[in-house]
Amino acid sequence: MAESTMTATEHPPTSTGRLGQRASMTQRRRRSSILRHGGLILFGIFMLYPLIWMAVSAFKPGHLVLTDPSIIPTELTLENFRLGWEVGEYTFLVFFANSTIVALSCVAGNLIACSLTAYALARLEFRARKVYFAIVLVSVMLPMHVTIIPQYIIFANLDLVNTFVPLILPKFLATDAFFIFLMVQFIRGIPRELDQAAWIDGSGPFRTFWYIVLPLMRPALITTAIFTFIWTWNDFFGQLIYLTDNAVYTVPVALNALVDSTSNQGVGTLMAMSLLSLAPILCFFAFAQKYLIKGISTTGLK
Amino acid sequence: MSQTLTDSARSGSQAAPPPPSRRKRKSWRRQEGAAHVFMLPWLLGLVLVTAVPMLASLYLSFTNYNVLSSPEFIGGENFARLVEDPRFWNSVRVTVTYVFVSVPLQLAFALLLALVLDKGLRGLAIYRSAYYLPSLLGGSVAVAVLWRQVFGHSGLVNQFLALFGVEGSSWLQNSGTALGTLIILNVWTFGSPMIIFLAGLRQIPEEYYEAARVDGASAVRQFSKITVPLLTPIIFFNLILQTIGAFQAFTQAHIISGGTGGPSDSTLFYTLYIYQKAFVSFDMGYASALAWVLLAVIGIITAVHFTLSKYWVFYGD
């Protein structure tokens, strides 16, 4: 601990002083710093090794995947991607399109429904406010399994199984309580004077929301959008039960079907499609890292 | 009285503002209406997607329902059946083991690395991102598929062990080790609690440590007397969040066991059992009973956490 604080105050600009002692201290500091970085890098490689291995295996010829664990490839091929892409009756193009439709619709739903609800809870005065907010807080913890069975029965009776409606509709009805909570907290941080001024100038709640609060909520909206996209993209349970027809398969469900249909020699193919299925998340991660980290450190989102 | 007030306000000159009480009341009434318009989607969702299904699920838990014929009321029979169902008890055991082993380990890793990354480290952003990445991917089918390969018979783990001349096992085919691979997967996603810990560590004033150093407190003592107590609210937050999440884990177990929860039910997570009962054998009544038990257990565990928190979570002033 003492050493780490010394690294923080690097190279004090002293002209006097005992040179020999300073040199040894710098040396010790450097050695401990190298040790720490070395450890962290090794640990990072160890952690990320499976992912790196997946990426490399996706490009290896099938027979090498299981015999050669090295991540330095000797032969590269795109064969795995070709095989996986056209695996069945439908290509992965269809599954990617389905996943994209579902994920983007869910993003739209959460942005619209949660921001409206959050604005009312954070800024408007009405009798049931406290009760409603308490319900929002409790429903953050509610496991989906208590409602999923009747929901399934309802959607099945409405003939909506094998459509995207059961996956998308709940988002337009603000069922992701966590994002409401996140936005309420965020709006509370926006100075009240701003919307009060608009209010006094004669704009009603709708105009105030649209022109004043919503634009200021941008960071919260971005966080919500990114996490909704990633969660929906990763979601398996809902898509597994509602989408049973090949034509409406999303990427996770298609991947699950691929696992069942490929034997050991198809590992390269499986890795290729797995890698592709993670590509959108990896892209988001590369571009929106800052927001992701901020979102999680302030709210605890995964 | 109010009638005359309103009248006078209306007939009075334009310059005179309406009495404050009336103005306030009017805007308040407008907000009541507006609030309900704003909250309409949520209110609809609360009724249609949450409340009605919850009630329906509670009712179904007392019925025998296979989707084809209408539900038949059987009282508490599902719950009685549950008590005598060895697969139910097994799934409870598997899930509880998973939660109580993987969550503490995951949080320990998260805290340890947050501490290492916390102070004056170059390239913090890179490490933070690298360690966080698994959290983002951990719940996906793709990573579960990868895990199947990594712990498979000729997978990465065994290839690695072979380098040291150790013969690996069939981790996923062995009922003694299959759950372990899922626990490792969950521990691997320590990045998200780690980032929350990092944010928490930033909140601790540096002066506390300076004062402790002046008094000659050792690093261990600083950690146990300053860092841990001030971090307890964050530890508690992470604990609740990760526990609730781990109870609901599904994807990993489903993919790794091919949907069976095998070998010999050793990865039969509770949610996987609900899935099998509800959507494979269409035993909807029984599955609803299972779901309500899950809700009760999560509720109880959360309540216990909150009760115990009074004894160890330290909220400054």
Side-chain angles (χ1 to χ4, degrees):
Chain A
M1 175 110 354
E3 261 169 6
S4 59
T5 31
M6 279 181 215
T7 20
T9 55
E10 267 178 301
H11 306 298
T14 51
S15 50
T16 58
R18 285 149 294 184
L19 261 166
Q21 198 185 332
R22 248 187 68 191
S24 86
M25 260 179 66
T26 325
Q27 221 169 26
R28 217 177 52 190
R29 212 184 298 149
R30 191 170 296 151
R31 208 179 306 138
S32 101
S33 154
I34 289 173
L35 224 79
R36 200 145 66 118
H37 281 284
L40 286 169
I41 290 169
L42 265 179
F43 184 68
I45 292 174
F46 176 72
M47 265 190 73
L48 296 181
Y49 199 90
L51 291 171
I52 301 166
W53 179 81
M54 171 169 76
V56 175
S57 298
F59 293 98
K60 275 185 189 172
H63 64 278
L64 282 180
V65 173
L66 289 179
T67 51
D68 173 22
S70 140
I71 53 170
I72 300 150
T74 46
E75 264 179 81
L76 289 180
T77 169
L78 288 175
E79 187 67 1
N80 291 325
F81 289 91
R82 197 186 61 76
L83 283 172
W85 192 260
E86 295 166 354
V87 68
E89 191 185 345
Y90 298 94
T91 66
F92 258 81
L93 185 68
V94 175
F95 310 140
F96 269 93
N98 289 340
S99 268
T100 308
I101 293 168
V102 171
L104 292 182
S105 308
C106 288
V107 169
N110 265 350
L111 287 181
I112 296 167
C114 294
S115 65
L116 285 170
T117 310
Y119 174 73
L121 285 172
R123 282 295 205 257
L124 299 179
E125 277 166 42
F126 56 101
R127 259 164 293 178
R129 183 158 87 153
K130 280 194 176 143
V131 179
Y132 285 165
F133 192 59
I135 295 175
V136 167
L137 288 184
V138 171
S139 50
V140 171
M141 293 189 197
L142 190 73
M144 66 179 294
H145 307 88
V146 232
T147 52
I148 193 82
I149 292 167
Q151 272 177 30
Y152 178 83
I153 296 168
I154 294 168
F155 284 121
N157 280 321
L158 294 172
D159 230 353
L160 289 171
V161 169
N162 279 318
T163 70
F164 301 143
V165 177
L167 301 171
I168 296 167
L169 184 69
K171 310 287 175 186
F172 278 91
L173 300 179
T175 48
D176 273 352
F178 208 110
F179 293 117
I180 300 177
F181 177 68
L182 184 157
M183 290 183 194
V184 167
Q185 295 303 95
F186 193 86
I187 295 172
R188 281 180 179 165
I190 299 173
R192 223 173 229 280
E193 289 76 30
L194 285 173
D195 40 319
Q196 266 168 358
W199 194 270
I200 288 165
D201 285 348
S203 78
F206 298 98
R207 283 174 67 95
T208 311
F209 168 69
W210 186 253
Y211 288 107
I212 309 289
V213 177
L214 203 58
L216 290 170
M217 277 172 72
R218 204 150 91 194
L221 297 177
I222 292 173
T223 304
T224 302
I226 294 171
F227 278 101
T228 305
F229 184 90
I230 291 175
W231 286 355
T232 315
W233 192 272
N234 271 346
D235 175 45
F236 180 55
F237 192 84
Q239 296 171 12
L240 179 70
I241 63 172
Y242 285 118
L243 309 176
T244 53
D245 185 9
N246 281 358
V248 289
Y249 271 6
T250 50
V251 174
V253 187
L255 214 49
N256 179 42
L258 194 65
V259 174
D260 291 341
S261 67
T262 42
S263 53
N264 249 5
Q265 67 219 31
V267 170
T269 316
L270 214 47
M271 290 302 113
M273 290 303 110
S274 295
L275 181 66
L276 275 188
S277 83
L278 295 178
I281 301 176
L282 294 170
C283 287
F284 259 105
F285 185 66
F287 291 113
Q289 238 194 80
K290 202 176 65 187
Y291 291 105
L292 283 167
I293 303 276
K294 208 182 278 170
I296 190 178
S297 55
T298 51
T299 62
L301 290 165
K302 214 168 219 214
Chain B
M1 172 67 185
S2 76
Q3 185 64 38
T4 50
L5 256 177
T6 8
D7 283 346
S8 73
R10 195 178 293 145
S11 58
S13 71
Q14 290 95 319
S21 69
R22 175 181 165 255
R23 191 178 173 186
K24 202 175 162 196
R25 190 149 35 93
K26 193 187 160 202
S27 85
W28 185 77
R29 211 184 298 129
R30 253 177 80 196
Q31 288 195 17
E32 182 93 12
H36 281 85
V37 175
F38 273 98
M39 299 193 71
L40 192 63
W42 179 78
L43 286 165
L44 278 175
L46 181 66
V47 174
L48 297 178
V49 187
T50 308
V52 169
M54 267 183 91
L55 290 174
S57 157
L58 188 60
Y59 171 71
L60 284 179
S61 70
F62 295 104
T63 66
N64 189 2
Y65 182 46
N66 62 3
V67 186
L68 297 174
S69 52
S70 54
E72 170 203 355
F73 191 81
I74 53 167
E77 233 170 82
N78 283 328
F79 293 94
R81 194 178 136 198
L82 215 133
V83 176
E84 282 163 20
D85 177 359
R87 292 194 81 201
F88 161 76
W89 287 112
N90 182 60
S91 72
V92 170
R93 194 182 52 76
V94 168
T95 310
V96 167
T97 311
Y98 175 76
V99 172
F100 283 81
V101 176
S102 76
V103 173
L105 273 177
Q106 185 201 34
L107 294 187
F109 266 95
L111 182 56
L112 183 72
L113 280 144
L115 287 169
V116 176
L117 292 182
D118 181 39
K119 293 226 166 85
L121 188 81
R122 284 188 191 193
L124 168 70
I126 297 168
Y127 292 120
R128 198 176 49 186
S129 300
Y131 295 165
Y132 173 55
L133 187 62
S135 294
L136 216 50
L137 309 176
S140 66
V141 170
V143 163
V145 168
L146 170 64
W147 228 245
R148 240 171 104 116
Q149 294 312 321
V150 167
F151 284 94
H153 189 64
S154 42
L156 214 49
V157 172
N158 285 350
Q159 287 173 346
F160 180 74
L161 289 176
L163 293 179
F164 302 94
V166 179
E167 202 192 323
S169 124
S170 304
W171 307 99
L172 302 175
Q173 268 79 54
N174 184 334
S175 60
T177 52
L179 182 60
T181 66
L182 292 169
I183 289 175
I184 293 172
L185 177 48
N186 198 39
V187 175
W188 188 60
T189 63
F190 68 80
S192 76
M194 178 194 78
I195 284 173
I196 301 171
F197 278 136
L198 271 171
L201 288 170
R202 289 281 148 80
Q203 303 290 316
I204 302 177
E206 184 56 33
E207 292 83 54
Y208 290 8
Y209 294 108
E210 276 163 23
R213 267 195 299 276
V214 169
D215 291 345
S218 67
V220 176
R221 211 174 151 75
Q222 287 177 34
F223 174 72
S224 66
K225 296 291 174 191
I226 301 174
T227 313
V228 171
L230 289 176
L231 216 53
T232 45
I234 312 277
I235 297 173
F236 178 61
F237 177 78
N238 272 334
L239 185 65
I240 291 274
L241 225 63
Q242 299 300 332
T243 302
I244 293 176
F247 262 107
Q248 299 178 53
F250 171 80
T251 309
Q252 304 88 319
H254 185 278
I255 297 294
I256 281 186
S257 69
T260 62
S264 23
D265 283 353
S266 62
T267 60
L268 186 69
F269 280 9
Y270 198 86
T271 52
L272 193 51
Y273 194 41
I274 294 183
Y275 167 78
Q276 286 184 358
K277 284 294 167 197
F279 302 104
V280 178
S281 47
F282 289 99
D283 198 348
M284 296 284 192
Y286 192 59
S288 299
L290 282 169
W292 274 88
V293 170
L294 178 67
L295 178 64
V297 169
I298 291 182
I300 290 169
I301 291 208
T302 310
V304 168
H305 272 322
F306 270 96
T307 313
L308 290 180
S309 75
K310 286 183 195 118
Y311 300 101
W312 66 273
V313 176
F314 171 78
Y315 294 99
D317 288 305

